[in-house]
Amino acid sequence: MKILTVIGARPQFIKAAAISHGFAQYDAIQEVLLHTGQHFDSNMSDVFFEELGIPKPAYNLGIGGGLHGAMTGAQLAGIEEVLLHEKPDWVLVYGDTNSTLAGALAASKLHIPVAHVEAGLRSFNRKMPEEINRVVTDHISTALFAPTATAMQHLAYEGIPAERCHQVGDVMYDAALLFGERAKQQSTILQQLNLIAGEYVLATIHRAENTDDLQRLKIILQSLGEISQTLPVVWPVHPRTRKLLEQKTLHGLLGNKVQLIDPVGYLDMVMLEQHAAVIATDSGGVQKEAFFYQVPCVTLRDETEWVELIAAGWNQLVKLDDTNEVTQTILGAKLKTSTAIQPYGQGNAAVKITSYFREI
């Protein structure tokens, strides 16, 4: 069986590491990796393949940047050419990026079955490009691998046949178990940044709803600046966000104590997550990783797909309309108590997904 896997962004590299490792154990499964190039910076792409032991992609389309329509259209055309050449039995896509949508659309138009890892997530905010991507991908997929019971409920509510849907757990939990200890052994990022474990805030901001809304972005920046007067703040800045800060001359809102650093490799990011006092993020993946490493998290969004973490107290939402509220929520998060839960499986999602393809 030949499976063509489409990846293009950092979270997808992490998920692919776990599943590609599973596929590699069986000669009957041939995986062909296609990298769209959606994340093109070496710190956001190349280093991940090296650290995670992912095979070098057979194809790299080099399509990144630009408007959503142009990017998705170019990826769709590029993926279609590869599919016509490779003639895979399945196309495997991850998450909710433009690469996900392009891969699923290209496959469906050629009548190649699509498998979607991380199916069934919903923010119920159709203004988010990611929400459109995940909904459309789910509805054209043949095999939907859902991480949680809540995700399965969403798929059932939308009328997707039950026989297509499989609750397997979260492959990011697999990766956290696989690479968490390796990060402790290999990463020196804390020493490089002069950070003390448990005494800093880790921030990540990249979603369009925050970076493209100047008022929301200013509140985030002012809040991080205020927090840095109490706790060190380190922020690995997405290239797109860094460019925006420069264009709008917004650095002054941060003050001079927030450490802006370039994107880091996966092991360094895991190390920063594991040892933060609080994580402030708008990333879906980072929210979960905070939970995996038992670190309080504040999500800088109006809603989240990972509702289980909100209900149990591991994660808090904060509306971005008042700087003081954001500041106090982040500083106070380390004092919260949380309920013990295990909604994302046992760390064997990749095994279950691999078994599905072995058995069909």
Side-chain angles (χ1 to χ4, degrees), residues 68 127-130 205-214 216-217 240-241 244 282 301:
H68 285 285
K127 293 182 179 179
M128 291 175 59
E130 296 87 353
I205 299 99
H206 76 280
R207 287 193 182 264
E209 64 192 276
N210 288 332
T211 58
D212 291 355
D213 185 318
L214 193 57
R216 290 171 69 93
L217 183 58
R240 180 175 175 275
T241 307
L244 185 64
D282 60 10
R301 288 169 53 190

Side-chain angles (χ1 to χ4, degrees), residues 52-312:
L52 300 179
I54 305 173
K56 185 177 179 180
Y59 299 91
N60 191 326
L61 303 183
I63 301 169
L67 298 174
H68 285 285
M71 181 193 294
T72 307
Q75 291 173 352
L76 177 59
I79 293 168
E80 184 177 55
E81 288 188 15
V82 174
L83 294 180
L84 290 169
H85 175 72
E86 289 287 345
K87 297 180 173 58
D89 300 294
W90 283 83
V91 169
L92 179 66
V93 296
Y94 292 89
D96 56 17
T97 67
N98 290 338
S99 300
T100 307
L101 179 61
L105 284 173
S108 67
K109 290 178 180 295
L110 294 174
H111 309 293
I112 301 169
V114 177
H116 185 202
V117 175
E118 209 172 73
L121 299 186
R122 297 292 182 268
S123 68
F124 301 102
N125 179 359
R126 291 295 179 94
K127 293 182 179 179
M128 291 175 59
E130 296 87 353
E131 183 78 351
I132 302 301
N133 292 345
R134 65 171 70 103
V135 170
V136 174
T137 299
D138 280 343
H139 282 267
I140 59 178
S141 292
T142 300
L144 297 92
F145 300 116
T148 65
T150 302
M152 289 288 284
Q153 292 169 4
H154 293 155
L155 296 173
Y157 180 78
E158 293 176 14
I160 297 176
E163 61 270 20
R164 295 185 185 180
C165 305
H166 311 273
Q167 185 178 342
V168 297
D170 197 316
V171 292
M172 288 195 73
Y173 186 36
D174 294 28
L177 296 176
L178 189 61
F179 296 107
E181 196 58 38
R182 185 183 299 181
K184 293 178 182 178
Q185 296 170 358
Q186 297 184 14
S187 175
T188 60
I189 190 73
L190 299 189
Q191 294 90 326
Q192 294 173 32
L193 299 178
N194 295 313
L195 296 171
I196 300 173
E199 297 186 17
Y200 62 90
V201 173
L202 173 65
T204 78
I205 299 99
H206 76 280
R207 287 193 182 264
E209 64 192 276
N210 288 332
T211 58
D212 291 355
D213 185 318
L214 193 57
Q215 185 58 32
R216 290 171 69 93
L217 183 58
K218 284 182 176 179
I219 287 174
I220 292 172
L221 299 178
Q222 290 169 339
S223 177
L224 294 180
E226 291 177 1
I227 291 165
S228 69
Q229 303 301 313
T230 302
L231 278 175
V233 175
V234 60
W235 177 8
V237 186
H238 190 285
R240 180 175 175 275
T241 307
R242 186 180 287 274
K243 183 178 180 181
L244 185 64
L245 295 180
E246 294 169 354
Q247 288 176 339
K248 302 292 186 180
T249 60
L250 298 173
H251 287 89
L253 297 175
L254 288 165
N256 57 10
K257 290 189 176 183
V258 177
Q259 285 197 68
L260 301 183
I261 62 173
D262 290 334
V264 296
Y266 181 56
L267 296 183
D268 281 344
M269 189 62 182
V270 166
M271 193 70 172
L272 288 171
E273 290 170 343
Q274 286 175 323
H275 296 287
V278 183
I279 295 174
T281 186
D282 60 10
S283 162
V286 174
Q287 290 174 51
K288 286 185 297 177
E289 287 170 333
F291 168 69
F292 297 152
Y293 301 126
Q294 308 287 278
V295 175
C297 181
V298 174
T299 295
L300 305 171
R301 288 169 53 190
D302 295 334
E303 69 285 308
T304 179
E305 303 82 359
W306 305 106
V307 293
E308 303 87 358
L309 301 182
I310 300 294

